């Protein structure tokens, strides 16, 4: 897993630089069972997911990102991406959420996808939106 940790760190650094953020969020790589429990408890959805973001508590850190490793791995294999590239995308995605970006409306989605693509390009990761969309 050292390679995945390095990739996650690179994605955090690049996204924080892009946003001009001085501090980075905490990143946790978890199994589907733990992520399903968090998704249920905090979002009311009783299923695992690939990424969850939690805004910072007053006086504490810059938020948290929880990545569902098993879901990320399945999605990467299904979309013919490397696990490392998909993890990097989801880290960028999560940090953009913490910075206030969203993708619920079409215009918001275009802006957020554009930012993700530009940041990932700096990291040598192909445009994740070219081959179709993965539900985030």
């Amino acid at each position: 897993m050292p390679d995945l940790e390095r990739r996650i760190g690179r994605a955090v650094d690049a996204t924080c630089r892009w946003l001009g953020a001085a501090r980075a969020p905490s990143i946790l790589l978890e199994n589907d069972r733990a992520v399903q429990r968090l998704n249920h408890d905090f979002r009311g959805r009783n299923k695992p997911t690939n990424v969850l973001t939690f805004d910072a508590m007053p006086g504490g850190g810059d938020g948290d990102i929880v990545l569902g490793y098993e879901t990320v791995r399945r999605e990467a294999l299904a979309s013919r991406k490397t696990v490392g590239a998909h993890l990097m995308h989801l880290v960028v995605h999560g940090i953009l959420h913490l910075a206030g970006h969203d993708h619920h409306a079409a215009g918001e989605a275009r802006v957020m996808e554009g930012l993700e693509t530009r940041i990932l390009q700096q990291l040598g990761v192909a445009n994740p939106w070219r081959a179709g969309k993965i539900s985030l």
Side-chain angles (χ1 to χ4, degrees):
M1 286 259 208
D3 181 56
L4 294 180
E5 290 174 11
R6 183 182 59 78
R7 288 175 175 266
I8 289 168
R10 287 181 58 223
V12 169
D13 292 345
T15 310
C16 288
R17 269 194 316 275
W18 184 275
L19 295 170
R23 294 173 44 187
S26 299
I27 308 285
L28 179 64
L29 200 56
E30 266 295 355
N31 62 39
D32 274 355
R33 184 175 174 189
V35 173
Q36 180 172 345
R37 189 174 31 237
L38 290 169
N39 202 20
H40 174 267
D41 292 350
F42 291 95
R43 296 177 67 214
R45 297 180 181 172
N46 194 24
K47 63 180 186 174
T49 189
N50 53 18
V51 62
L52 293 169
T53 58
F54 297 92
D55 291 329
M57 299 297 288
D62 286 317
D64 302 300
I65 296 173
V66 180
L67 299 160
Y69 180 75
E70 295 158 331
T71 296
V72 171
R73 188 174 184 283
R74 279 192 307 277
E75 289 176 348
L77 293 172
S79 61
R80 296 188 176 113
K81 297 175 184 173
T82 67
V83 173
H86 193 41
L87 270 173
M88 290 172 86
H89 175 210
L90 293 171
V91 167
V92 171
H93 183 86
I95 293 172
L96 290 175
H97 269 306
L98 290 173
H101 294 276
D102 217 331
H103 51 80
H104 295 294
E108 292 174 331
R110 274 191 301 281
V111 168
M112 192 166 177
E113 289 170 9
L115 290 171
E116 290 171 5
T117 300
R118 286 191 289 280
I119 294 166
L120 290 169
Q121 184 178 35
Q122 291 180 350
L123 293 165
V125 176
N127 181 342
W129 305 108
R130 259 197 207 130
K133 295 190 180 207
I134 291 176
S135 176
L136 298 175

